[in-house]
Amino acid sequence: AMGDRRVRPLYIEDTTRQVNGLAMMTIISNLADYMQALPNVSAKYYTAILPLFDQFFRRLPAIFDSVSMFKRQFIVPLRVMAMLLRNVDQHFRTLLPGFSIVLVYLLRQPHQMIPLGALLTVCFRAFLNFSNSKDKERLPRCVAAELVLAWRGKSLPHRSTFLNLIKFAAIDSGANIRGIIGFDGKELPSSSLPRNLRVRQHVLQSLDVAVHFLQSTYASTTLYQDLETSAKIKVATAQLVGLEVTGYQNRAQMERLLPWLHNSGPIFGLLTELQIIQRFRIFSWLFVAAMASDNNDDNSLCQPFLDDWTNVSVCIATLCSEFLRSLQEKIVAAKDRRVQILPMMFMTCMLWTVYLEQQCIADQAVNDFWAQVMGDIIQLLNFKSRVYESVITTPFLEMIE
């Protein structure tokens, strides 16, 4: 039944003996292989030993902590959970608290990646096989809660786990993601990916946390000391936000998350420099996410500004004008923080131009945008000072190139 796999025999001589953590790794691995080889029997055959399984999963985090980090097999408990969830009845709901404890413990491991395919399989089987809505949502709700904690900076999962949590929520929101590997080592077809696991409804309630994550300087750069990882995590987060604000049906969501987008009036005279910087950031990440989705043939999903590009152009132009005028009035030193933000402003303008061109929006829109912005840029370039000359002109020339 096991095919090419060889299972090492275990002999239980004394049931009162406490098994050490390293031996338990072997036991868990054997248990997963054994359960995978079993036929899909009726749930009633497990009823008598469900309390033992519950105790086992509740104690599993302590067992893992007693083992060397390099010898922990974090994927194995998920395999056992998936096997138990193949065929359930109402008695199996007693396992869900233990499952939740193990799932949260695994997702918070900073040195071990939890595969997306394993998460999807376990959560989908629980959602599919339980009849009570609270039981259905218990494991997906754990995933959503851990994602929000990671956005808030209160949890430090492995960098790949962080990305997988975002992808999990994106799939539940309708995104098409390829290359997901299941427990059997084969790729899961996109048509079979689970949808509507209610992860989306929990993430939507905290989508403003994702927007704050995109706006803030604190991010995975600080956590992982890796610019490439930071960019991937922020682009994935921006794509998830973009999915939820694309199209007329989601206009209310857009107005809730970016209330200032449709109000470019007197409010801009009251903006602080930090607020201007944050808005440059959110625009930049959303533009990058939309263009990345377009390259992945998901342009119908993540295009948050296609129906509202006129307001976006006015908003960015006004932000640039406010920022450049305050810069000319208040520059006091070449190391002024506002001077260092100039590359970000030019980058936002460039990304917006590329986005308009990529979406084949009328050339007149691009020309009107630059006509509104260029006057203030030229005034800044004419600012006579040897101290500021290279600091101001270098990012502008890089953008032109």
Side-chain angles (χ1 to χ4, degrees), residues 280 284 287 316-317 320 343-356 369-370 373 377 399:
F280 280 141
S284 297
F287 296 155
I316 295 176
C320 293
M344 183 190 305
M345 186 200 75
F346 288 130
M347 179 64 72
T348 305
C349 294
M350 183 184 68
L351 289 171
W352 179 234
T353 303
V354 175
Y355 178 78
L356 291 175
F369 169 71
W370 281 104
V373 173
I377 292 178
M399 179 188 68

Side-chain angles (χ1 to χ4, degrees), residues 100-345:
S100 301
I101 292 171
V102 172
L103 189 61
V104 170
Y105 173 81
L106 296 179
L107 292 176
R108 293 183 181 180
Q109 295 303 308
H111 304 294
Q112 182 73 32
M113 183 268 289
I114 304 302
L116 178 57
L119 277 179
L120 287 170
T121 301
V122 171
C123 291
F124 181 56
R125 288 185 180 178
F127 188 86
L128 186 66
N129 292 327
F130 286 107
S131 56
N132 183 280
S133 60
K134 186 177 179 180
D135 297 335
K136 283 177 173 287
E137 297 177 26
R138 181 138 191 177
L139 298 184
R141 192 164 58 242
C142 288
V143 174
E146 290 305 307
L147 174 57
V148 174
L149 285 176
W151 277 335
R152 292 183 185 275
K154 295 183 178 180
S155 176
L156 182 59
H158 186 275
R159 62 192 71 183
S160 297
T161 301
F162 198 165
L163 277 172
N164 287 340
L165 289 173
I166 300 171
K167 290 178 181 179
F168 191 109
I171 289 172
D172 200 48
S173 296
N176 295 317
I177 298 178
R178 302 179 182 88
I180 301 175
I181 306 301
F183 283 115
D184 57 359
K186 298 179 181 179
E187 181 177 346
L188 299 175
S190 57
S191 58
S192 69
L193 294 180
R195 312 285 182 182
N196 301 320
L197 298 185
R198 316 280 173 84
V199 173
R200 181 186 183 192
Q201 69 182 28
H202 298 294
V203 172
L204 280 178
Q205 296 171 2
S206 303
L207 210 57
D208 53 333
V209 178
V211 172
H212 178 73
F213 176 77
L214 293 174
Q215 292 176 335
S216 65
T217 55
Y218 167 81
S220 45
T221 308
T222 308
L223 297 175
Y224 302 113
Q225 302 298 319
D226 184 349
L227 290 175
E228 183 178 357
T229 299
S230 172
K232 288 180 179 179
I233 290 174
K234 285 216 164 186
V235 169
T237 301
Q239 285 178 327
L240 180 59
V241 174
L243 285 171
E244 299 299 342
V245 297
T246 295
Y248 287 109
Q249 294 181 346
N250 295 323
R251 176 60 65 87
Q253 191 71 259
M254 172 76 84
E255 293 177 354
R256 182 179 75 86
L257 296 173
L258 308 176
W260 40 267
L261 181 59
H262 301 90
N263 186 1
S264 56
I267 188 174
F268 281 96
L270 305 175
L271 288 179
T272 65
E273 292 156 9
L274 179 59
Q275 288 173 321
I276 294 174
I277 292 168
Q278 289 176 339
R279 294 180 187 187
F280 280 141
R281 282 202 181 99
I282 188 66
F283 274 132
S284 297
W285 287 116
L286 286 173
F287 296 155
V288 171
M291 289 186 283
S293 294
D294 192 49
N295 292 332
N296 291 330
D297 298 326
D298 285 339
N299 54 314
S300 61
L301 293 174
C302 182
Q303 299 300 335
F305 300 119
L306 272 188
D307 303 323
D308 212 13
W309 58 266
T310 305
N311 278 331
V312 176
S313 284
V314 172
C315 188
I316 295 176
T318 310
L319 282 171
C320 293
S321 299
E322 287 285 326
F323 185 65
L324 293 173
R325 287 170 188 167
S326 70
L327 203 58
Q328 294 178 58
E329 294 171 0
K330 301 178 182 178
I331 282 184
V332 294
K335 294 184 179 180
D336 191 316
R337 185 184 66 175
R338 290 163 297 160
V339 177
Q340 309 305 320
I341 302 303
L342 274 173
M344 183 190 305
M345 186 200 75

Side-chain angles (χ1 to χ4, degrees), residues 37-84:
L38 287 176
N40 191 11
V41 297
S42 173
K44 66 180 181 180
Y45 290 102
Y46 287 98
T47 303
I49 57 173
L50 287 181
L52 298 177
F53 267 115
D54 180 52
Q55 294 180 31
F56 169 72
F57 280 106
R58 288 175 183 271
R59 296 176 182 177
L60 200 54
I63 295 172
F64 273 111
D65 287 338
S66 67
V67 180
S68 169
M69 179 181 65
F70 301 103
K71 296 184 179 180
R72 300 174 189 175
Q73 302 178 37
F74 289 116
I75 191 65
V76 176
L78 294 175
R79 287 178 57 202
V80 176
M81 290 163 62
M83 293 301 107
L84 285 170

